[in-house]
Amino acid sequence: MKHEHLEHKFYETQIFLQEQIAPLANNIDRDPEVLRTALRGMGDRSLLALKVPSELGGTSLKEVDYHRWQIMLARVSGALTFLQTQHQSAVAMLAKSDNKSLQQKFLPYVATGDALLGVGFSHLRRRGVPIMKATETTEGYLLTGIVPWITGYDFFAHFILGATLPDGRELYGMLPLQNKLQESGGKIALSKPMELMAMAATNTVSAKINQWFLPRDRLIAIKPAGAIHVSSRKNVLNHGFFALGCAYAGLDILFAAGETKQLNFLQESWQFLTARVKKCEEQAIASKLDNNLPYEQQLKLRAKAINLAARCSIAAVIASGGVANDLNSNAGRVYREALLFSVSGQTTDVMEASLKRLLS
Ligand SMILES: Cc1cc2nc3c(=O)[nH]c(=O)nc-3n(C[C@H](O)[C@H](O)[C@H](O)COP(=O)(O)OP(=O)(O)OC[C@H]3O[C@@H](n4cnc5c(N)ncnc54)[C@H](O)[C@@H]3O)c2cc1C
């Protein structure tokens, strides 16, 4: 995308977010119907296939621009950010698949949200006996096990499931995100949407899958054993951009409190934390542009971003006073969002680095 088109798209999106999403952010967090309208707003603007190449119907956003985008969205609504991210990840994965017929069936409709997809593969990061297994048959694969997390029930018609083959390779295939029985006896049983503290409206469920037959034409990819760990290392910083957006959301509340209450220490706190968030953002973006920053340093930046989300959101709570405890408080919501962005896409390394950061 040309630079001026990109800047225009960002500008238009900013206006959409400020005028139509920000005022409803607390409702979007809790009410699936309000979240659905917000997601449709993004679809109406063809914003739901940002990482998909334009020849496949997407926006072809460069990686670093996608990260700027993540910050911008997470600054306004965590629930909308989180829900649409699952879809953006799923469609980016489909765009890289060798399965051209599946691409043709879905990709022309994904940018507008006429086809919406979720993901359920974070369990592949767990060590030990796989909880979701695949075995090959003559015409496809049989899938059995548990999927602990799938966001987007009743938003997404399908999701990309990750399962482990007997030799440890990772299988990714497309399944309906519905309770379903196959004539062969295959079954998908979803839990009720979880009662979550943050982003409850995203309808996050778990699934029990038993002998589900996945025909070859629904296969997205087979990757080597441990591919998810390689990808988690390579992309260790990616979830950090949500944490940075969340940190800015906290800072916005702190700034507004400073304006209203005219207390110097509020403005000073805002200045102090803003400088740190900006620096972390600059380092994170520079690291993405450079591509050569060692893993350990990227990991530190991710932990720093998580730490800043926590500090800025608690600053927002403290500056707001008792009212932060109101369910309709922006400060309370951003504080809960910081909780989610502290653990989403978590690996053992990220867990350790985030904890160490708290100790320093
Ligand atoms: C609201 C919500 C929605 C989500 N939606 C989705 C979704 O749509 N799709 C999706 O794929 N994921 C989703 N997730 C999962 C999310 O990305 C995970 O929270 C994150 O990856 C951490 O996984 P976990 O909570 O299952 O923790 P765990 O799997 O328990 O572990 C977290 C980390 O610790 C490590 N670990 C765990 N136990 C051990 C052990 N005994 N020894 C050593 N290391 C260990 C794991 O390897 C992992 O790296 C969602 C999570 C939340 C909270």
Side-chain angles (χ1 to χ4, degrees):
M1 181 182 276
K2 280 192 181 150
H3 182 71
E4 59 271 23
H5 286 165
L6 179 69
E7 289 310 316
H8 185 66
K9 201 157 186 116
F10 267 80
Y11 175 71
E12 274 185 349
T13 306
Q14 282 272 18
I15 292 179
F16 163 65
L17 293 175
Q18 285 313 320
E19 290 182 354
Q20 297 188 40
I21 302 300
L24 295 176
N26 292 326
N27 294 334
I28 291 173
D29 180 60
R30 290 207 308 277
D31 184 341
E33 289 317 310
V34 187
L35 175 56
R36 196 185 309 282
T37 306
L39 187 68
R40 202 173 295 134
M42 288 189 65
D44 291 346
R45 290 161 181 79
S46 286
L47 295 172
L48 291 173
L50 297 174
K51 294 193 280 187
V52 173
S54 42
E55 59 275 20
L56 292 176
T59 308
S60 278
L61 215 58
K62 279 195 214 135
E63 198 196 345
V64 74
D65 293 323
Y66 184 73
H67 296 316
R68 283 172 57 207
W69 170 273
Q70 285 174 288
I71 295 176
M72 182 167 80
L73 209 56
R75 188 170 184 162
V76 178
S77 162
L80 179 60
T81 304
F82 197 68
L83 181 68
Q84 64 89 48
T85 295
Q86 312 303 328
H87 169 81
Q88 304 270 11
S89 305
V91 299
M93 196 166 189
L94 180 58
K96 287 185 187 148
S97 171
D98 293 332
N99 189 339
K100 299 296 165 211
S101 68
L102 200 58
Q103 286 185 338
Q104 278 160 14
K105 200 168 159 50
F106 285 95
L107 288 184
Y109 312 103
V110 296
T112 52
D114 291 313
L116 288 164
L117 309 176
V119 291
F121 51 69
S122 62
H123 51 275
L124 293 179
R125 289 196 202 101
R126 294 186 182 180
R127 314 269 173 184
V129 180
I131 57 171
M132 184 71 230
K133 294 181 184 170
T135 48
E136 190 161 7
T137 67
T138 42
E139 283 159 13
Y141 299 87
L142 281 177
L143 306 168
T144 294
I146 289 169
V147 192
W149 305 100
I150 317 164
T151 289
Y153 170 71
D154 201 29
F155 290 97
F156 305 152
H158 297 87
F159 74 107
I160 298 181
L161 171 78
T164 310
L165 284 158
D167 61 4
R169 284 177 304 155
E170 297 169 1
L171 172 145
Y172 296 85
M174 195 184 289
L175 274 68
L177 186 44
Q178 286 160 16
N179 287 301
K180 269 232 144 103
L181 253 184
Q182 289 177 316
E183 277 180 18
S184 59
K187 189 174 174 186
I188 300 176
L190 304 177
S191 72
K192 287 201 177 121
M194 296 174 197
E195 289 183 22
L196 298 171
M197 237 170 82
M199 310 180 197
T202 59
N203 286 352
T204 297
V205 296
S206 60
K208 281 187 187 151
I209 297 181
N210 194 21
Q211 296 288 306
W212 182 263
F213 172 63
L214 180 84
R216 274 184 213 290
D217 63 8
R218 293 270 147 163
L219 180 69
I220 289 179
I222 294 201
K223 298 190 180 179
I228 191 129
H229 299 299
V230 176
S231 150
S232 294
R233 275 180 76 90
K234 180 169 165 270
N235 300 321
V236 64
L237 205 43
N238 292 5
H239 281 266
F241 293 95
F242 295 127
L244 283 170
C246 181
Y248 276 119
L251 288 173
D252 291 341
I253 296 165
L254 182 58
F255 181 80
E259 294 280 286
T260 312
K261 298 180 181 167
Q262 289 296 312
L263 297 167
N264 280 346
F265 59 84
L266 290 179
Q267 281 137 2
E268 282 160 22
S269 310
W270 177 81
Q271 275 166 2
F272 179 93
L273 287 167
T274 299
R276 271 144 192 84
V277 175
K278 282 211 154 102
K279 188 168 170 209
C280 184
E281 179 186 11
E282 278 163 21
Q283 289 172 327
I285 294 283
S287 144
K288 283 288 167 187
L289 286 171
D290 170 9
N291 245 343
N292 279 324
L293 199 67
Y295 171 71
E296 289 304 330
Q297 288 191 39
Q298 292 193 46
L299 181 64
K300 272 193 180 162
L301 275 178
R302 166 89 173 265
K304 201 170 173 183
I306 289 174
N307 185 272
L308 284 165
R311 287 163 73 192
C312 294
S313 65
I314 193 73
V317 165
I318 292 168
S320 299
V323 76
N325 206 4
D326 189 300
L327 214 46
N328 285 314
S329 148
N330 281 325
R333 171 178 53 80
V334 171
Y335 184 67
R336 299 192 307 273
E337 291 174 354
L339 177 156
L340 187 84
F341 290 133
S342 303
V343 295
S344 64
Q346 186 186 59
T347 64
T348 319
D349 285 354
V350 171
M351 191 189 273
E352 184 183 5
S354 327
L355 281 174
K356 279 196 172 148
R357 183 96 209 168
L358 284 181
L359 307 183
S360 64

